[in-house]
Structure formats: structure tokens, C-alpha cells
Amino acid sequence: MYTKRHYSLLMTFKWSKKPFYYGLIYSGLITLIFELTKWEFTLPWEPISVIGIAVAFYLGFKNNSSYDRTWEARKIWGAIVNDSRKFATAVLTMLQTDDGTDLWEIKKKLIYRHLAWIIALRYALRIPKSWEHKYGPPNLVFVPHYADILNNGLDKELSEYLSKEELDSYRNKSNLPSQLLKKQSEEIEALFKKSLISDYKHVWLHQIIGLLYDNQGMSERIKNFPLPRQYASVALWMNYVFCALIPLGLLDIFTQSNELWIWMTIPFSGLIIWIFFLMEKIGDYSENPFEGNYNDVPISSITRAIEIDLRQMINDEQIPKPYPVENGFLM
Amino acid sequence: MYTKRHYSLLMTFKWSKKPFYYGLIYSGLITLIFELTKWEFTLPWEPISVIGIAVAFYLGFKNNSSYDRTWEARKIWGAIVNDSRKFATAVLTMLQTDDGTDLWEIKKKLIYRHLAWIIALRYALRIPKSWEHKYGPPNLVFVPHYADILNNGLDKELSEYLSKEELDSYRNKSNLPSQLLKKQSEEIEALFKKSLISDYKHVWLHQIIGLLYDNQGMSERIKNFPLPRQYASVALWMNYVFCALIPLGLLDIFTQSNELWIWMTIPFSGLIIWIFFLMEKIGDYSENPFEGNYNDVPISSITRAIEIDLRQMINDEQIPKPYPVENGFLM
Amino acid sequence: MYTKRHYSLLMTFKWSKKPFYYGLIYSGLITLIFELTKWEFTLPWEPISVIGIAVAFYLGFKNNSSYDRTWEARKIWGAIVNDSRKFATAVLTMLQTDDGTDLWEIKKKLIYRHLAWIIALRYALRIPKSWEHKYGPPNLVFVPHYADILNNGLDKELSEYLSKEELDSYRNKSNLPSQLLKKQSEEIEALFKKSLISDYKHVWLHQIIGLLYDNQGMSERIKNFPLPRQYASVALWMNYVFCALIPLGLLDIFTQSNELWIWMTIPFSGLIIWIFFLMEKIGDYSENPFEGNYNDVPISSITRAIEIDLRQMINDEQIPKPYPVENGFLM
Amino acid sequence: MYTKRHYSLLMTFKWSKKPFYYGLIYSGLITLIFELTKWEFTLPWEPISVIGIAVAFYLGFKNNSSYDRTWEARKIWGAIVNDSRKFATAVLTMLQTDDGTDLWEIKKKLIYRHLAWIIALRYALRIPKSWEHKYGPPNLVFVPHYADILNNGLDKELSEYLSKEELDSYRNKSNLPSQLLKKQSEEIEALFKKSLISDYKHVWLHQIIGLLYDNQGMSERIKNFPLPRQYASVALWMNYVFCALIPLGLLDIFTQSNELWIWMTIPFSGLIIWIFFLMEKIGDYSENPFEGNYNDVPISSITRAIEIDLRQMINDEQIPKPYPVENGFLM
Amino acid sequence: MYTKRHYSLLMTFKWSKKPFYYGLIYSGLITLIFELTKWEFTLPWEPISVIGIAVAFYLGFKNNSSYDRTWEARKIWGAIVNDSRKFATAVLTMLQTDDGTDLWEIKKKLIYRHLAWIIALRYALRIPKSWEHKYGPPNLVFVPHYADILNNGLDKELSEYLSKEELDSYRNKSNLPSQLLKKQSEEIEALFKKSLISDYKHVWLHQIIGLLYDNQGMSERIKNFPLPRQYASVALWMNYVFCALIPLGLLDIFTQSNELWIWMTIPFSGLIIWIFFLMEKIGDYSENPFEGNYNDVPISSITRAIEIDLRQMINDEQIPKPYPVENGFLM
């Protein structure tokens, strides 16, 4: 996530310049052939503009869907924040003991395992998928701190909240976050068996864990189900066809007019091609909100904020610092 | 579901080439007749472009609705994942016995029947409907493994999780998944009668089964209620009318201009007709997310993932493998 | 609901041919007057095309809203399916008796009254409203079986599930389905008083009845509140104004061009007028999903499916058959 | 709410004729000046049409948002219907007494106060706001019955359901409906203290009252928060600018063509201006669904329907009649 | 939030005049160079209009998303109103004591802390973010009363509802509202331990606090996650490119026509540029509903309304006055 008011025009252009240059070369070639051969291969602009409007619709639809995916992803992680607070508060205020035994260690362990669940989920969500833009630590030059943490691996982060034995017990499981929540349910069952929690409150805690299952599953759904590739592909190929027609249509206009200079076809084609590919690219780079890229939903930072909030609730020491904004990016 | 970044241009074209070829033939005929007879049957392009924009709106609406159906279907199956985990966790941690009897078999049976429910539902959702594109195993050349499983039939898959007697008892029922959930309710009632579960937890389990009924019913709703055929039909016929007008309009433009070569009408018509039918076809092939086709929501693969997750929860042996991606497709 | 892949082009045209013929007559008159008088009353096309695009937006908005109404109606009836299964399962597995009394009759009566509620609701939803297209049995020529049932009246259908005495007791009530649900609540209260159900399960059953009240009220909302007539009316009149301008604009184009034949104004006007009125009509005939028309949400068929499902749950005899598809239509 | 199929064209035009007449005068002046002075102040049409399409988008967005506000308002009042039935059924079937005391008076009083709450809420929602179209009884000529009731004032209606003492006790409170729900909660607390209701059912009744708080608050939200005025204003001023440009652009077209009669600029400008202001006005008059105007959500009629339904549930006498449709309008 | 019917045209223009003036200067320069040099650098208008339509789509999308953010923010604060009433009513009617001890002080303290939570949340939401328009008290010239209160700071407002000791105990916590809700949970736990509240009601109160956590978290989500900057930036830069092309395209039209006066390029360019930047700016100034600006969701006023409502419920004295509308603005 970018946190400044705007990407600068230069930054935007640098990021998307390829179609501009290819557009210049392509329309340059077309214009040159036209000038040299005087073949009548130009096309009228009016039908091309209908295609252009249809393509703009389609790109608009794609951008809209990408935005919805990003926004839904953010909503889910907002819900993780809320449900984490609910879970922590419930653990802190609903256990009871008649003889005044100190339950502090039990409470802390439950909250620590909850933080481990968030970290494990965040980690699972950023494992690359075949339809995503792949970015590894070496590419992430603008966010060196984030790349460092990525290099350290999951186990190092988890070891702060889970014992080595427990961590080892999950080694062969395919879905670590799911098994962690199952473990939480078993721990709560143990509390119930020791009569530290009433029948009704047992169910209420189970319901909160149900909310966490929902949040996890919804995140996995966005991760595992891309914007259907048939839509993404057609948007791309329609855009290519439209852009291929642009210089043919512009040439026709320029040759019909006495006032206009035919070589203007080249920069003008480049510009239009750039704008349409820019629209395409923005959607393309926003459709996978967990791909570990600069436009991601900042789940590392959200995770950290939950860690701070919950550890302050239990008056923990050595609270970690908020995640830093690096070069305007928050991961 | 396709899992690569993009369908290649060739693949896209191969899949949708028919309208292109018919467009070439049709506009070829029109141009020929025009050249031979010099009849004044061409039409001005401006009004055609208004129709084109209206058609683009309509196709956009259709694509949008198809996308929403697919996405809703995926959401429902995401909820099935979440509610399955909730159900399994509840079964595993909420039964109680004072005298330490081993309830393991009871728990395992409930979870196995739950997996049978998912498989039966998946199977029911892929029975062909009169408005769907029908694809049988012989057509599914790109996903041979999936076609194999389809050929084996439902009973073989169910027999892994249900006893033969139980399976036979459902023979005359019209809605197998619905009867399986009713059976689960009866089993839970039996646990309650044996005092293995409290009054309140009995209701909570019943509420989870209510969620499963919701998921099943919502899947059936998308399966049984197509995109209203009046919308789909009008989109198609409007597209035909627009495409029929294209060469008549292009001819008029080409004849009015001195610069343009009239025979360009033919490839240019073909191209525009192809683009508009491509847009139509994308919507058409995405509107039924459970038709057993390549663009389906991958419910076979989701089912398998739930099987793995739940069977790992009960430390089952011989966990099945994840569903394979075949030629880029995941079913 | 139409169940085939597409309405045929002929069927579509037959259903919407009026605007085409009127369009021909109107533009024929305009062209004739123009040719005879040579008055300069034609209009430039460019501004007309801006109106056309605005009208296309407006019709798109109307179609979209109609679709949303239909889809929401289907969702509500999908929820009725789910909540019916929940209700039946709860009734079957939550009553308890210590001394083994047979509660079968009580359970069956509750489920039968539930089916009566669905039938009464379905019937109430199809009573004509002042803003709907009115269709009586004589008009419904394509669905004779449905028309027959409609002729039989509500009482005949209800008598299968309710005793004559009970049916008579509702005679003076204005909202029969609402009173039936109240009766269910009273019966459940009686069970509670007889200690056949616990305090907590009493509330859970009441909550399910609350869901049924929601479903009923949401259906009534769509029935009683049309697409706001100001929107529907403006869409219609804007369309009329646009279509009235079409031949005036086409004449101007045809007269300016040397290549074009002025009498083509007539069929071309007819075609454009037809397309725009077709778009208008599709929205118009989809906005009331319970008007008892061919494009309705098939609530008769859904009702029947619930009857079959629930009666199989109680192992009833003489299960009714599914509702037939007649000439491609399912009611 | 209008209940006939369509507002007639005449009615629509009468309601929106002002922009048409002003458009005629304005474009008449422009044309006259142009003819007299021959100044070259006309403008090319093509850029104006781009503005026109942008304005059409913007008005479409505004209409869409207004529609959503109306539809959400109707949904909320649909929920009030459903939750009222739930509340009444709960009150009627969940109180219990061991010694057979007659609780009829208590139940009736609770239901009567509930009806008072709806009436008070309806009244509060129709108090004029600074951004609404203000309509008092003298303006409401088409709905004289509604105007009469409005003149009678709130107290007269409330006195049917509340004692004078209770009514007086709320005099100084700023939010009457909110205090009425608080009173209901206190009455239910009193029942609990008298052991007429169990602990769990006490909470369930409180939860239903929570739903009523939600409905009230959501209605107040739509009432108190208009469509953001910056959007409404920009739509209006953009429309003015576009309409001001129309005759300047038309003049240019008419003067360039030999075939066209320049004075046609005047009626044609008037027509286009009328259509765009009609679109603007439809949104404007639909954005406040509780302003006491003809296009309101019919909350008076819905209130009355709830009164009838609930009073029939308690077998009340002298049930009031449904609210009348007056000249096609239902308030 | 602006509360009058419309921003006046003058006010709108004043607020957005910069692009108009820059547009005049820019197009003036272009026209001058063209006139002086007669270089053929003009561009055909048709392709520019396709860009213009694409830009209009994009700005429409941005406006739409901004509106959705504002409306969602208002919904969340509407939910805060509702849940505050629920919480207060629950606190007032669900505590119980057998021996008639007066619980008034406990109830009042809980409600006062709740009001402190709302105030602290409101304050936290208005701390400036790096992507927002920053407005401090000196800039807020139209709302002096609001600026005054802002100057007083949070502690002064909180001191009315919290003791100094309690306030101090939160000094080192990073999220004050979150810690306040945790404190409420602890206070309710204390009530439970003193048997002033039943097990089940304890959970119900905890669930209401869960709703408050949700409301807080959803507000924070909108605050902390801007409209993704890549979308906002591309909309801006596309708009710049389009506006840069406008005079080049207009010049071409004006020079081709004999009727038109070339210097009209300047005011006409200015006008179109102004309209497109106005659309851009409206979205830009509506996308952050909590930035402390004139178009904010009026959370100060909503907070005050809750204070009044809840303090009237406990018959408090010295009820504060509603928040004033200043120059048409409500904060």
C-alpha cells in the first residue's frame, strides 16, 4: 500500500513506460510503410472508436473488480483486528475460578497462540500463486526491512509465541492456521473440563473461533481464486487489438486533413496506447491483494498492530514497534 | 478454473474463431454484391455506432452478472470450507462423557458423513441443466483425471465415507445431501439423549447444521436459476443485429473516402464481429459456475482440500492427495 | 422462468414486434412528408446520438434494477427452502419426552402447517397489483397445467395440509401467512408448557420462525413496492422522444450523402426503434418477479420441491410429483 | 409512491416543463443574437458531446444513488414489519405464569406501546430538513386524506395507544421513539423481576428490541444524512453548463449544413435541455424517501398495515381500515 | 457535511477555479504559438474524445468509490448510535440485585465510560494521515465553534466522563478506545463475580461490546486504508493528459471551420478543463470521510446526539446542546 497522496507522474510513467515505447516503434513502422508504399491499408476511425469505447468498458469492469477484491481483502483483515480484540477480551474476562487460582499463564498462552495464528495466516497468504506477479526479497528494493523479515522465515517469527515442541507437532499438517485454531478449541475444551468456564461461555468462545475460521477462509478464498482468467485475458487481448488498430485509424485522419502533420501519428499513437495499457495494468496489479507486492493490503503492518494492541492488553513487556513506512510503502 | 496468468491469444482465438470466419464470409458476400450491383443499400455509420454502444452496455451488464454469479458461487464454497472446519472442531471438542468412554468412533463417523455430504452436494451440482453447455467425460480432453473420476460415479466416492447399508437407505430420496444433513441431526439428537452433549450445545450444533443447509440451498439456487434467459437472449440477438449492420456501415465509409480500399471492409468487419462475439461468449461461458466445464468454480478441488484438512484434524491415515492441475485447469 | 438456452429470434421478435411496425409506419410518414414537401424539418444526427447514449444508460439502469429485483426474489425463496429444512429438522429432532410418548402426530402437524404457510404465501404473492402486467388463466396458454391449478383456488391446495376447522378460523384475517406463523408459535408454546421442549430450544424454534417472518416480509416488500414509477416512466418517455427523433436525424444523413438511398430511412428507423424498445420491454417484464407471468421466479415449482423434500423427511406416502416444465416454462 | 403503471407523458411534462420553457427562451435569444449580429461565437459540437456523455454518467450516478437510498429505506421499513410480527409473537407466546393469572392486559399494553413507537418514528421521519423539498398539508392537493391526518398532529394518533400520563412523561425528551423502546425494556425487566419470563427469554426479547433500535437508527441515518451535497451540486452545475452550451453547438451544425433550417435550433435545444433536466430532477425528487412528498416510501400505509396485522393477532375490535390510495398515490 | 440544498455556483467555482485559470493560460499559450508559428502540431479531435470518454469512466469510478466510502462511514456511525442505545438499555435493565442495593452509580459509570469511548474514537479518527487534505483549526474558518473545541484537546472532553486517575492509567496505551472497551469488559466481569448479572446476560453484554469493537474497527479500517493510491493517481494523471490534449484538438476543429473564431479555443478549453477537474476534485475531497474537513461525516454532531440521548435515558441534568450548524456546515 502506498501512503503518500499520489504516485508522481514520473513514477507512474516509469512503471508503465513499456507500452509507450513499443507503441512508438509500432506506429513508427506503420507510418513509415505507409509513407514509402502508399498502400491503402489505413482504416476509418469511427468504427475503431466504438471498439475503443467497448474496451474502455471492459477495462473499467476489470478495474472495478480488482478494486472490490482489494477492498474485500481489507475488510476481512479489519474483521481479524476486531475479532482478535473480542477473543482477547473474552479470554481475559470470562475464565473463572472459585478458589482464586492464578490463570494468568493460561490466558497469556491462549493470546500468544492467537498471535501465532495471525502470523501463520499472513505467511500462508503470501506464498506465490501461478497467476500472480512473483516478487521475491531481491526485487523488493523499496522495502528492505520487509524483505529482511521475509528472508528470516516463518519459524523465527512463530518461535516468539509458540514453544518449539508445539511448533514441531504441526510439521506434517498442510494447513497450519487451521490446525492452530483447532488447538485453541482443544485448550478451551480443557478449560471447560476443569470447570474454569461455564457451558454457555464455552459455546461463546467457540463462536468467536468460528469467526476466526470465517476470516481465515475468506482470506484463503481471495488468495486461491483469482479474477477469472477468461475475463483478464479477454481484457488484455481486446486491448492489444484496439491498440494495433490505433495508428491505422490515425493515419487515415491525418491524411484526410490538409492541416495536420502526418508524423504526429507516432507520438499520438504512443500516448493513446500508453493510456489504455496503463488502465489495464492498474487493474492487473491490484487484483491479487496478497501477492507480496507494493500494492498489497498491508497485512504485515496490520498483524503488528494487533500484536501491539493485544500485548498491551495483557501488560506485556517489550512491545514490538509499529511496522515502518519505507519509501512511502507500507507492507 | 484456469490457473495460469493468461489464456494465450492463440487459445482465445481458437476457442472463439467461428464468429470471425462467419463474419468474413458474411461481409465478403455483402461487399461482393455491392461491387457487382452498385445498389445503394449501404447504411450510415453514425446510427450504427449508437447501437454498438448500446450493445456494449448490454454485454457489459451480462458479463458483470455472470462474474457476480461465479464469485457468489465461490463465496458459498468458501463458506462450506469454513463451516466444515467449524463443524469438525465442534464435534471434536464438545462431546463429553463423565466416565471416560471413548467417543472416537462417534466423532469420526460424524465427520465422515459430513465429507459424504460435501461429495454428494458437489455431484448434484454438476448434473447438467437444460440451459447449460453440456460437457461429458469424452469432451473433457484437457482434464483426463477429472473425466476418469466422473466416469466412476458417485457411489464409489461415497463408499469411502458411508456404510453400504446407510447408502442404500437413501436410494429413493430425491435430494441426497438434504437427507444426509437430516441424518446428522438425528445422530446428534441421539448424543443428546445419551447425555453426551448439553442442551445448549445441542442447539449450537444444530445451528452449524443450519449453516450447512444454507450453503447447500444457496448452491442449489445458483444451479437451478440461470441468468434469466430473456436477458441472455436479448443480448445475443442485439449482438447479431449489430454485427449484421457492420459491413453495411463500413461499406458506406469506405466508398465515401478516396483514400481507403473498399476490400478492407471484409477483414475489418470480421475483426469487429469477432470482438463483440468474444465479449458475448465470455459472459455466456461464465454464467453457470457448476456446469462441469473448464471455467467452473473448482468444487472438486475444494472438496478434496476439505477432506485433507478434516482428516488431518482426526489424524487419519492415508490422507488423499490434493486435486491435480491438468493443463492449467483446476476442476 | 424460461428453461431453454435461448428464446429463439422469432419468439423474441413476435413478442416485441409492435414497436417495429409502429416505427415503420411513423418513419414512413416522416419520409413521405419530407419527399413531398421538401420542408427543412430534419435534424442533425450528432446531438441525437448524445440523447441515444443517455437513453441507453437509463435503460441499462432500469434493466439492472429489474434484474436485481428478480435475483433478490430468488434469493428470498432460496432462503425459504433452507429455513424450511431447518425448521423441519428442528421439529423432528428437538422435541423430547421422558416417558416415550409418540410425538409423531404433533411433528407431522407442525410440518404440514408449515407447508400450508408456503402455499398461502405463494398465493398471496400472485394476487395482481395495479402496476403489474395482468395475466389470468385464460392468457396463460403456454402453461395449461399451471392455469388449471390457479383455477382451482387456494382452499383446495390448503385442504391437503390443514383441517377445515382451522382453515375457517382464519377467514376474517387480512394476512393469512402471518396468522399461520403466529399459530405455529402458539403450538410451540403449548409444547413448552407440556415440557416437551426446553426453555432454550423454545427460543431457538422461535428464532427459526423469526427467519420465516423475515422471508415472508421480504417477499411482500418486493411484491408491494414496485420499481419506483417515476424511474420507469421517465425511461419510457425518454425512449419515446429519442425514437421520435430517429427518422428526422436519419433523413438528414441520407440526404447529405450522394451514395445513400433515402428510402432506407424507413427500415433502418424501424430497426433502431425496435432495438431500443426491446431493451425497455425486457426490463419492464422482469421487474415484478411475482406477477404470475412467464418470466416469474418459479415459486410454484419451488413450493412443490419443498413439499417433496419435507414429506420425504417424514417418510410420508403419496409424495407429489415435481412441477412440470411446460413449453420450456417453469412457473 | 405512485401505484399506477406509468405517470402519463402529460403529467411528466407538466411536472418538469420549466427547463423546457427556459431552454426555449435561452436558445431563442442566442439564435436571435446570432442572426442579428453574425458574430462567430458558435462552438463545435464534438467537444460538447463529450461533456454531454460525462454529464449523463454523472446524472446516472446520481439517479442510481437516489434509487439505492429509496430502496434501502423500503428495506428498513420492511424489516420493521417483520420485526414487529416477531415482537408481537414473542410477547404473546413467551410469558408464563404458574398460577394461571391472566396476562392479557400486560401483553396488549406492550403491543400497543409498540404501535405507538412506529407512529412516533414515522412522524419524526417526516419533519422537514434543510435539504429537502418542503411540502406542507396545503401543497398536498392530490392526497387530501393524508394532509388531514397530518393536520391532526402526532398526539391524536398516539392517544389511541398510550395513556395520557405516559405521553406526558416523554414531553421533554428529544427522541421520543428511542425513549419508548427504553420504556419497553423496563416493562420487560419488570416481567422478569416478577418471574413471568425466564432469564434466557428476557435476553431474547431484549435482542428483538435491539433489532427495533437498529431499524429506527437506520431510518434516522437516511433521514439525517442527505446524498452528499457536493455530489448533488456538481451534477446540477455541470448540467447547467452543458445545457448552456447546447444552442451554441447546434447553431454551428445548422449553419454548416445547407439542408437544415437554422430556427430548428430553438425547439431542438429546448428538447435536449428538457431531457437532461428531467433526468436530473428524477434523481433530485427520489433522494429523500421520507420528505413527505409524493415519491416517498409509503410509511403511513405500512404503519397502518402493521396496526391491522398486530391488532388482528390479539383479536382486537374496531380494526382500522387500510390506508387509501388517493389519485394513484399511496403515502 | 453541507446541509443546505446546494452549494451555490459561485461557491463551487471559487473552490475549483484553479484548473480553470491554468486551463486559460495553457490554452492561451498554445493558441498563441499556433497563430505565430503556424506549425502543424494540432491533433484530430475524434481520438481525443475516446480518451475523454475513458477518462470520464475512470473519474466516475473514482467518484463512485469515494461515495461508497463516505456512505459506509455514515453507516458505521449509524450503527454506533444504535449499539449505544442497545448498550445503555441493557445496562439499565439487566443488572439485578436481590437485596435492593442501589446500582445507580454503577450503571451511570458504565454509560459515562461508554460516552468517553465514543469521544476518544472520534478524536482518534480525525488525526491527520499522510494521504489526506490537512486542515487545522486555523483553516476551518467557516466552523469556528468546531475549531475551538478542537483546540481544547481530547482530555478536556474526556474529563467530563472519566476520573483523572482512570484517564492517567491509559497514558501509555497506543489505542485508547480499544483499552476503554477492555475496561468495560472488566467492569462487567466484576458485576458477574458479585452475582449482579447472570451467566447468560454476561455473555449478552459481552456480545454488545463485540459490536462496539466491530464499529471501532470498521471506522479505523476506513481511516487507515485510503482509496488505493494507484487508482487515485492514475485518475489524476489521465485527467492531466486529456486536458493537455484539449486545446490541440480544439484548434484543429476551429481551423477547419470557416464559421468559427479561433480564439474561442481559449475559453472553451478552460471550460472543459474546469469541468473535468471539478469531477476529479469532488471525488478527491469525498474519499476520506474522517479527515476533519467540511465534507466529513459529521461525527462530532453524531457524538453529541448520542450524549444527549443516553444522558436523557438516565435523567441526567445539564444535558449538552446539539452541535450547531455553522454557515451551513455540520461537523
Side-chain angles (χ1 to χ4, degrees), chain C residues 309-324:
Chain C
D309 211 7
L310 264 55
R311 290 176 72 172
Q312 284 185 342
M313 278 191 189
I314 55 172
N315 296 310
D316 221 345
E317 284 159 14
Q318 288 188 300
I319 309 284
K321 291 219 178 65
Y323 221 84

Side-chain angles (χ1 to χ4, degrees), chain A residues 3 5 57 89 200-201 313, chain E residues 57 130 182 185 200 202 284:
Chain A
T3 64
R5 257 189 73 62
F57 278 15
T89 314
Y200 186 65
K201 282 174 181 160
M313 278 192 189
Chain E
F57 278 15
S130 52
K182 187 201 149 208
S185 305
Y200 186 65
H202 183 190
D284 195 49

Side-chain angles (χ1 to χ4, degrees), chain D residues 302-316:
Chain D
I302 295 172
T303 307
R304 180 60 54 85
I306 300 173
E307 283 177 77
I308 295 171
D309 211 7
L310 264 55
R311 291 176 71 172
Q312 285 186 342
M313 277 192 189
I314 55 172
N315 297 310
D316 221 345

